């Protein structure tokens, strides 16, 4: 498993929706990246100038939301041993899903975070009682096989036939931070979608509320009384009768990209629920290409990319072979 603090980090610490902590004395810094996990505890070496600061004051200097900090203090989960501050951030937990083994494609992992590349045909978590075979059951098995006593906490979902990264929180701190980051739109999800027809505009914004389709229990539709839904798109490559687009979600409504593209008159290839056809794909051609999130402890910006699945790549190859596509813009091709 990678170390607690991997090298793929950059950016500034996020505020986690709380007031700015008290300023540290001049010349003093907390080396958050130097913290080390020891079993259930995270240990952080304190500078000499903070030796006399009470625990409540120290907690205000750390990137821990007040609710989580208060809970830690209430269960004796904060200890000072000389220059060491110890935080019980990793208590053992019982998984709530029965483990079902399957080899997973792990895109990123540390002690706070797990990112799994979800395959097509699998739900993220059970949608009905006693359902088995979901990604949650597979993640539970992975935790069990790697001796990690973690609950399975998914932060966002993908449709059953959509592929790409799914973010998991391994402890309460990460769960709280990720939930806040989702609300504050600091977790970015970028998708590749193969739409039917030729989209003329190079880029655009689809701002159309989405609600339940009263005539179909699993469908959604654009509706004036629906919830706000905003998607940004950028054309990557045009074919004779299809368009490869990159989509950035500003909201996370059920079936958002599928509904929005169908609303434009360009349903996703293979998406029979919203008017797509299947000469090239037997499922909706929608793939989570990139995921960006703040690290729960350092607040620094993390990101992963998920390669296109084989069936999506084969569809693009077939379209390119079928006729000369429009030339992609430099740097726009999904990786």
């Amino acid at each position: 498993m990678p170390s607690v603090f991997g090298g793929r980090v950059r950016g500034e610490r996020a505020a986690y929706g709380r007031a700015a902590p008290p300023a540290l004395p001049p010349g003093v810094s907390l080396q958050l990246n130097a913290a080390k996990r020891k079993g259930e505890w995270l240990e952080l070496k304190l500078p000499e100038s903070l030796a006399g600061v009470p625990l409540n004051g120290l907690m205000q200097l750390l990137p821990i939301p007040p609710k989580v900090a208060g809970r830690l203090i209430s269960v004796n989960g904060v200890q000072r041993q000389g220059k060491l501050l110890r935080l019980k951030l990793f208590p053992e937990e019982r998984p709530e899903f029965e483990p079902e083994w399957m080899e997973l494609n792990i895109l990123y992992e540390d002690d706070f975070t797990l990112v799994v590349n979800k395959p097509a045909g699998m739900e993220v978590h059970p949608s009905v009682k006693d359902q088995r075979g979901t990604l949650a059951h597979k993640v539970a098995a992975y935790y069990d096989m790697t001796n990690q006593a973690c609950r399975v906490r998914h932060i966002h979902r993908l449709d059953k036939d959509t592929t790409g990264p799914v973010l998991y929180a391994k402890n309460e701190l990460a769960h709280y931070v990720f939930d806040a980051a989702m609300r504050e739109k600091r977790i970015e999800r970028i998708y590749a979608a193969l739409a039917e027809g030729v989209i003329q505009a190079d880029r655009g914004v689809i701002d159309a509320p989405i609600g339940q389709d009263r005539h179909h229990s699993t469908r959604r539709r654009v509706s004036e009384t629906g919830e706000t839904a905003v998607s940004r798109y950028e054309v990557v490559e045009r074919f004779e009768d299809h368009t490869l687009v990159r989509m950035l979600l500003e909201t996370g409504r059920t079936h958002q990209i599928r509904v929005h593209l169908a609303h434009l008159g360009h349903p996703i290839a293979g998406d029979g629920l919203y008017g797509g056809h299947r000469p090239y794909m037997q499922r909706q051609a929608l793939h989570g290409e990139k995921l960006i999130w703040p690290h729960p402890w350092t607040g620094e910006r993390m990101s992963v990319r998920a390669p296109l699945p084989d069936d999506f790549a084969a569809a693009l190859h077939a379209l390119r072979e079928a006729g000369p596509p429009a030339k992609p813009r430099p740097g726009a091709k999904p990786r």
Side-chain angles (χ1 to χ4, degrees):
M1 184 191 305
S3 64
V4 175
F5 311 109
R8 291 174 289 178
V9 295
R10 54 189 180 277
E12 299 178 354
R13 188 190 307 173
Y16 305 131
R18 64 171 180 161
L24 289 167
V28 176
S29 62
L30 289 173
Q31 302 298 318
L32 297 178
N33 281 315
K36 295 181 180 180
R37 180 176 177 178
K38 296 288 184 67
E40 295 183 314
W41 299 81
L42 186 71
E43 296 184 346
L44 176 67
K45 188 174 182 181
L46 297 173
E48 292 280 358
S49 58
L50 297 181
V53 177
L55 287 181
N56 282 335
L58 288 174
M59 294 301 284
Q60 293 182 55
L61 299 173
L62 297 174
I64 300 180
K67 183 176 180 179
V68 178
R71 177 174 170 79
L72 282 172
I73 292 173
S74 71
V75 298
N76 197 31
V78 183
Q79 299 177 359
R80 195 205 311 253
Q81 295 181 351
K83 294 181 180 180
L84 281 182
L85 180 66
R86 304 180 75 235
L87 306 167
K88 194 174 183 179
L89 295 181
F90 312 103
E92 290 192 2
E93 300 171 318
R94 297 181 63 182
E96 62 273 49
F97 298 99
E98 285 294 324
E100 295 180 13
W101 173 251
M102 184 188 82
E103 186 173 356
L104 295 178
N105 182 1
I106 305 297
L107 297 174
Y108 178 84
E109 183 174 15
D110 62 27
D111 282 315
F112 294 85
T113 309
L114 177 71
V115 184
V116 178
N117 190 15
K118 188 187 85 66
M122 183 179 295
E123 294 189 63
V124 170
H125 66 97
S127 55
V128 295
K129 185 179 180 181
D130 298 327
Q131 182 179 350
R132 305 295 293 270
T134 72
L135 192 61
H137 295 91
K138 315 305 180 185
V139 170
Y142 174 75
Y143 286 157
D144 184 55
M145 293 288 290
T146 54
N147 297 314
Q148 300 185 67
C150 303
R151 286 179 51 206
V152 178
R153 302 176 175 91
H154 70 273
I155 302 303
H156 64 103
R157 293 176 292 178
L158 296 177
D159 295 340
K160 180 177 180 180
D161 286 329
T162 299
T163 54
V166 176
L167 177 65
Y168 291 88
K170 287 189 173 183
N171 63 2
E172 183 184 11
L173 171 61
H175 196 182
Y176 192 98
V177 170
F178 288 156
D179 278 351
M182 285 290 287
R183 291 192 302 270
E184 297 159 9
K185 302 178 182 179
R186 292 185 290 110
I187 293 179
E188 297 180 35
R189 293 159 293 161
I190 301 171
Y191 294 81
L194 181 62
E196 295 188 354
V198 177
I199 299 175
Q200 297 299 324
D202 286 345
R203 59 184 56 84
V205 179
I206 309 170
D207 186 349
I210 294 176
Q212 179 77 45
D213 188 327
R214 292 174 296 176
H215 305 291
H216 197 299
S217 61
T218 59
R219 277 176 57 98
R220 301 296 187 274
R221 64 185 181 91
V222 169
S223 168
E224 292 183 359
T225 60
E227 296 181 289
T228 300
V230 180
S231 306
R232 296 184 179 273
Y233 71 87
E234 177 186 28
V235 171
V236 176
E237 187 171 357
R238 293 184 178 94
F239 305 96
E240 182 178 356
D241 55 0
H242 287 77
T243 306
L244 180 63
V245 291
R246 178 171 290 126
M247 307 287 300
L248 172 63
L249 295 182
E250 292 192 6
T251 54
R253 307 306 174 203
T254 300
H255 298 179
Q256 180 170 319
I257 294 175
R258 300 164 66 187
V259 173
H260 273 175
L261 286 176
H263 180 65
L264 285 188
H266 296 283
I268 294 177
D271 189 0
L273 187 61
Y274 292 103
H277 301 87
R278 298 186 171 181
Y280 295 102
M281 292 279 288
Q282 297 304 304
R283 62 173 179 92
Q284 67 254 22
L286 182 60
H287 171 67
E289 181 185 10
K290 186 175 183 181
L291 178 70
I292 303 169
W293 73 96
H295 193 280
W297 175 249
T298 68
E300 295 177 271
R301 196 170 161 88
M302 312 289 291
S303 66
V304 294
R305 286 184 178 272
L308 281 177
D310 291 344
D311 59 347
F312 202 140
L316 295 181
H317 177 75
L319 285 166
R320 291 174 184 132
E321 290 292 309
K327 188 176 181 181
R329 296 196 317 285
K333 185 177 179 181
R335 288 174 283 175

